[in-house]
Amino acid sequence: MFLLHILGLAGTVSATAHLDRNLAYHSPFENHPQFARDTREIHARHVAHARRQAISAEGFDDQHYPTFYGGDFSNSPFVWSGGVNFTHSGEFLPGDPLDTSVLLWTRAVPLAVAKKGSPVPMQSPESFPICLSYVVFDNVDLSGYPVHSGEAYTSYDVDFTVKVEATGLAPDTQYFFQFADCTDPGSVSPVGKTRTLSNADTPAERVNGGNNLTLAVFSCSQYQAGWFNAYDFAAHNISADVFIHLGDYIYESLGNGAHIGRQTLGRELATIADYRLRLNQYRTDKGLVAAHQNAPWITVWCDDHEVADQSWKAGTANSNDSVIGCSFSPSGACFTDRKLAAVRAYHEWMPIRQVDADDKLRIWRNFKIGKLLDLTMLDTRQYQRDVTDLYYNTAIVINTIKTAESRSLMGPEQETWLNDTLTSSKHRGAVWRVVGQQIVFSQLFEERAFDLDAWDGYQANRARILDHLQAGEIDNTIVLAGDSHANWVFDLAHPNVTSEYDPVTGEGALGVEFAGTAVTSTSPFGAGISPAAADNISTIIVGENPPLQWSEGSYRGFFSLTLNPNTAVATYYAMRNVSFSNTDGFASAVFVVESGANKLSRPVAGGNVQAGVLQSQVNSTA
Ligand SMILES: *[C@@H]1O[C@H](CO)[C@@H](O)[C@H](O)[C@H]1NC(C)=O
Ligand SMILES: *[C@@H]1O[C@H](CO)[C@@H](O)[C@H](O)[C@H]1NC(C)=O
Ligand SMILES: *[C@@H]1O[C@H](CO)[C@@H](O)[C@H](O)[C@H]1NC(C)=O
Ligand SMILES: *[C@@H]1O[C@H](CO)[C@@H](O)[C@H](O)[C@H]1NC(C)=O
Ligand SMILES: *[C@@H]1O[C@H](CO)[C@@H](O)[C@H](O)[C@H]1NC(C)=O
Ligand SMILES: *[C@@H]1O[C@H](CO)[C@@H](O)[C@H](O)[C@H]1NC(C)=O
Ligand SMILES: *[C@@H]1O[C@H](CO)[C@@H](O)[C@H](O)[C@H]1NC(C)=O
Ligand SMILES: *[C@@H]1O[C@H](CO)[C@@H](O)[C@H](O)[C@H]1NC(C)=O
């Protein structure tokens, strides 16, 4: 069979439809050419190549065309037919589920490229588009008629990534999907599994078919610091419906992981090639592969390290757009170039949706999951954050401006949107408001010092949010945080206002915060610190912070949040050893929040934890 794929059939389909269907070309914002690939230009390149008809005609075996040497297929570029390698085998990232659609992701590298081991020989004008077909079924055997199917192209322009939207799906339903090489339908990817979420109007008790909805929450996965056992454990040992990543999914730094078989490739990240290579390497981790295969993910693209350490809107600790700030970073890349590269690579490699085609950076977005919850994902890092702690400015600048009224962590637009989203969530009758964001929200003295890179460096902004919850009588708010590499569980309260909040009973609290430890990144209490030594530090910190009800700093891991209309239950999981691949983990503490209570249930964690220190163990009378 001669396999020829034709673009622009019969004028009804746009000539670039196959390219446009792959959202990676619009990575991330199609209205902004700095980010997006111009699919018309790529199409023209393919057409120009097709006209020269450079591929071998050997495969064309047809008695009616005995002397075929290549014709003018000006408007019908060939697609690559030399085979593809689904390089991230089994790796499909169903992401950003809505009620009737979900994003599907894969990567398909033409075999010639893979064979030569050369990254991009296809960058010559000879390039062909690579055509992938995809099918979505409601059963694991992929039998019967697909509920959705389509074809899309990829090419070296987007690092051979494919991100398509499957639409017309039923809410709250599990689906299975597979990609195939259009030119060789037998060459298929493994089957991926995903699901849709409830329609916004589904009554709370009917969400997820009336079952609990469980979110698995991760942050700070540094390749060289350890194996991603937390992902593996979450994929195999608990049942989570959605995986959430709060940032630091990759790190720009190199480190030295050789002693645990985790040598990082490349250099400190600065260019698009650097960021792609790093995402590529991270996604070879066995635990991460399993986790992506198992469930849809919802991610916020940034804590700082998806760009670089201590990032804020106009710089990082070692880069900005000043002459010195450019020369300081690897390859001499200036900050804005670095940020553009990081954002683009992230959108190519992650199944995240464009939120607003006119906004160059917006990823903050809200998921209405029936009337059970609003899951509100923020960008507290890259969007419009005022200057942060950059190490050289801590004492002189940040420490003096940390309480300034004008200081903003999210930018006015996002802050207005957050206020409105919380209010309208209450008005639409959603039971829970879960706010997923990067950095620790509550005030946290760590042995008399604040982390000024967290909300403690933006105290007036935090107060405005707490005021909004209080004034609007917005109940059942649960803040999620990552970034800190340790576990912290708080009742949400205005800092220092002892007249309003009672740490023994929790009366007066405005909600709760669950901050989770890192998947692998090292403890702020000291790399590899033992549980006993970490508990000594936790004891001091818990004593300094009345709303802090639990602190744990030894184990790497994650937590899950299980929601139903009556309770929210957070279970913290500790992984025993991340220096080799394993799923040896245990639940270290379980926290219950009753709907309407706006505080952790007492006794906190049932008065009994397997690791870490409870407020009640330090300060029984507070
Ligand atoms: C496919 O890609 C994987 C991952 O890069 C590589 O290990 C494997 O050798 C490739 N297979 C072929 C046939 O090129
Ligand atoms: C749902 O969650 C609640 C609270 O954690 C728990 O008591 C209950 O057993 C769970 N139900 C199921 C079916 O797992
Ligand atoms: C830019 O970065 C350099 C190197 O870190 C630093 O010395 C300089 O103060 C920074 N400039 C600004 C305006 O932030
Ligand atoms: C959000 O609400 C708080 C409390 O009402 C208010 O102080 C703050 O100004 C609001 N933020 C914006 C950006 O409107
Ligand atoms: C709470 O008090 C401490 C001093 O004990 C101060 O450093 C901190 O800024 C205060 N927090 C707020 C939000 O006022
Ligand atoms: C923890 O503190 C106790 C009491 O001060 C001390 O005896 C013990 O040695 C400390 N443990 C570690 C591991 O530092
Ligand atoms: C983790 O595993 C490594 C490799 O087996 C071992 O050397 C190390 O002692 C273990 N660490 C802990 C804390 O058990
Ligand atoms: C996690 O699941 C794996 C695979 O089923 C199993 O081998 C392992 O023992 C489980 N780990 C724990 C701690 O239960």
Side-chain angles (χ1 to χ4, degrees):
M1 185 173 57
F2 181 58
L3 292 151
L4 171 66
H5 270 264
I6 295 174
L7 285 170
L9 279 170
T12 51
V13 183
S14 135
T16 58
H18 272 67
L19 292 164
D20 291 326
R21 208 167 288 133
N22 181 357
L23 302 176
Y25 287 108
H26 304 302
S27 177
F29 301 112
E30 61 180 306
N31 293 358
H32 295 280
Q34 304 95 320
F35 290 108
R37 284 299 190 187
D38 185 340
T39 52
R40 282 161 310 180
E41 204 174 272
I42 293 169
H43 174 70
R45 195 182 74 211
H46 293 154
V47 168
H49 174 63
R51 193 174 287 127
R52 286 201 310 278
Q53 182 57 0
I55 68 158
S56 159
E58 272 167 24
F60 186 75
D61 180 13
D62 188 316
Q63 56 178 336
H64 302 294
Y65 298 88
T67 59
F68 176 82
Y69 290 110
D72 180 0
F73 292 90
S74 321
N75 204 25
S76 51
F78 284 93
V79 295
W80 175 256
S81 60
V84 300
N85 185 3
F86 291 98
T87 54
H88 287 65
S89 177
E91 172 128 353
F92 301 91
L93 291 115
D96 268 17
L98 293 180
D99 59 339
T100 58
S101 80
V102 69
L103 297 183
L104 313 176
W105 187 97
T106 192
R107 182 164 181 265
V109 178
L111 273 181
V113 175
K115 264 186 214 144
K116 281 185 203 149
S118 152
V120 275
M122 304 297 284
Q123 278 193 35
S124 63
E126 281 79 26
S127 80
F128 297 94
I130 291 123
C131 179
L132 281 310
S133 62
Y134 48 95
V135 285
V136 180
F137 286 87
D138 59 7
N139 64 85
V140 68
D141 304 321
L142 312 188
S143 64
Y145 286 107
V147 294
H148 183 90
S149 63
E151 284 183 355
Y153 287 172
T154 186
S155 61
Y156 73 86
D157 308 86
V158 289
D159 204 17
F160 303 110
T161 58
V162 186
K163 178 161 75 174
V164 294
E165 181 171 20
T167 54
L169 308 179
D172 243 343
T173 306
Q174 198 166 70
Y175 289 102
F176 301 86
F177 60 96
Q178 189 170 49
F179 287 89
D181 180 345
C182 298
T183 70
D184 180 8
S187 169
V188 293
S189 71
V191 176
K193 181 169 111 183
T194 190
R195 57 166 298 159
T196 49
L197 296 174
S198 297
N199 176 281
D201 296 326
T202 306
E205 61 283 0
R206 297 233 311 271
V207 166
N208 203 22
N211 299 309
N212 290 330
L213 184 79
T214 298
L215 315 175
V217 185
F218 306 89
S219 62
C220 305
S221 31
Q222 191 184 57
Y223 189 85
Q224 64 267 30
W227 292 76
F228 297 157
N229 299 338
Y231 295 140
D232 220 356
F233 186 90
H236 292 115
N237 301 77
I238 70 165
S239 74
D241 299 291
V242 180
F243 281 44
I244 310 259
H245 203 290
L246 298 174
D248 289 351
Y249 180 91
I250 58 165
Y251 278 70
E252 84 285 10
S253 57
L254 281 176
N256 186 352
H259 64 295
I260 54 164
R262 305 281 276 182
Q263 186 65 57
T264 318
L265 300 174
R267 57 174 183 177
E268 183 174 324
L269 309 182
T271 63
I272 183 89
D274 295 336
Y275 284 99
R276 285 169 169 172
L277 177 66
R278 190 60 50 84
L279 282 156
N280 184 330
Q281 183 180 21
Y282 270 51
R283 291 264 278 277
T284 60
D285 177 274
K286 169 180 166 291
L288 185 53
V289 169
H292 275 310
Q293 238 172 344
N294 212 48
W297 283 55
I298 292 175
T299 64
V300 261
W301 80 275
C302 260
D303 194 2
D304 49 343
H305 293 286
E306 276 93 350
V307 177
D309 190 31
Q310 308 292 93
S311 48
W312 60 290
K313 68 183 172 196
T316 73
N318 77 351
S319 59
N320 52 53
D321 288 342
S322 70
V323 174
I324 174 165
C326 298
S327 64
F328 207 86
S329 73
S331 82
C334 299
F335 171 71
T336 302
D337 295 341
R338 238 179 145 180
K339 183 167 169 174
L340 286 171
V343 168
R344 225 183 93 197
Y346 189 87
H347 276 265
E348 284 170 358
W349 278 80
M350 301 296 286
I352 184 171
R353 283 171 198 276
Q354 268 183 243
V355 182
D356 176 349
D358 289 318
D359 187 322
K360 297 186 189 73
L361 199 59
R362 176 172 169 184
I363 54 155
W364 32 279
R365 60 209 193 281
N366 187 53
F367 297 87
K368 294 177 183 164
I369 308 181
K371 299 258 171 158
L372 182 63
L373 77 149
D374 277 86
L375 173 62
T376 307
M377 303 295 283
L378 304 182
D379 177 351
T380 53
R381 185 59 83 170
Q382 310 293 346
Y383 193 70
Q384 264 221 307
R385 180 187 179 117
D386 286 336
V387 68
T388 191
D389 183 349
L390 301 170
Y391 310 127
Y392 55 78
N393 64 356
T394 314
I396 38 157
V397 184
I398 304 301
N399 209 32
T400 45
I401 62 172
K402 64 178 186 288
T403 55
E405 282 296 322
S406 61
R407 233 164 122 59
S408 180
L409 189 60
M410 295 182 284
E413 201 185 344
Q414 187 180 183
E415 184 180 324
T416 303
W417 171 86
L418 175 62
N419 278 356
D420 294 349
T421 301
L422 290 168
T423 302
S424 57
S425 171
K426 171 185 168 165
H427 289 152
R428 81 178 188 91
V431 177
W432 301 101
R433 274 150 287 288
V434 179
V435 181
Q437 52 95 48
Q438 292 72 46
I439 51 185
V440 173
F441 182 78
S442 295
Q443 174 170 288
L444 182 61
F445 278 119
E446 294 179 66
E447 302 184 89
R448 302 308 300 163
F450 284 133
D451 175 2
L452 296 173
D453 187 46
W455 284 87
D456 276 328
Y458 302 78
Q459 298 185 8
N461 196 160
R462 173 174 59 206
R464 290 195 293 276
I465 295 172
L466 291 170
D467 288 346
H468 186 74
L469 294 176
Q470 197 164 26
E473 297 182 340
I474 297 172
D475 278 339
N476 291 350
T477 304
I478 298 175
V479 175
L480 312 179
D483 182 64
S484 79
H485 310 177
N487 290 315
W488 317 98
V489 171
F490 301 87
D491 285 324
L492 273 189
H494 275 293
N496 307 345
V497 186
T498 49
S499 56
E500 279 181 9
Y501 166 72
D502 178 346
V504 174
T505 62
E507 287 312 314
L510 301 169
V512 299
E513 174 173 2
F514 293 118
T517 192
V519 169
T520 57
S521 306
T522 53
S523 171
F525 298 177
I529 190 168
S530 71
D535 285 355
N536 278 0
I537 296 172
S538 285
T539 302
I540 297 167
I541 299 179
V542 164
E544 289 174 316
N545 297 280
L548 176 62
Q549 294 293 329
W550 182 60
S551 162
E552 192 286 308
S554 171
Y555 293 101
R556 309 301 83 208
F558 72 104
F559 66 96
S560 68
L561 185 65
T562 295
L563 299 149
N564 66 39
N566 305 314
T567 57
V569 177
T571 305
Y572 278 73
Y573 291 96
M575 302 309 301
R576 285 202 173 83
N577 194 335
V578 296
S579 61
F580 66 103
S581 175
N582 65 78
T583 52
D584 184 7
F586 64 98
S588 54
V590 180
F591 301 88
V592 176
V593 184
E594 302 286 346
S595 174
N598 299 317
K599 59 167 187 162
L600 299 159
S601 290
R602 269 40 181 192
V604 172
N608 177 24
V609 291
Q610 305 306 307
V613 177
L614 288 167
Q615 181 66 241
S616 59
Q617 293 169 325
V618 173
N619 237 333
S620 54
T621 55

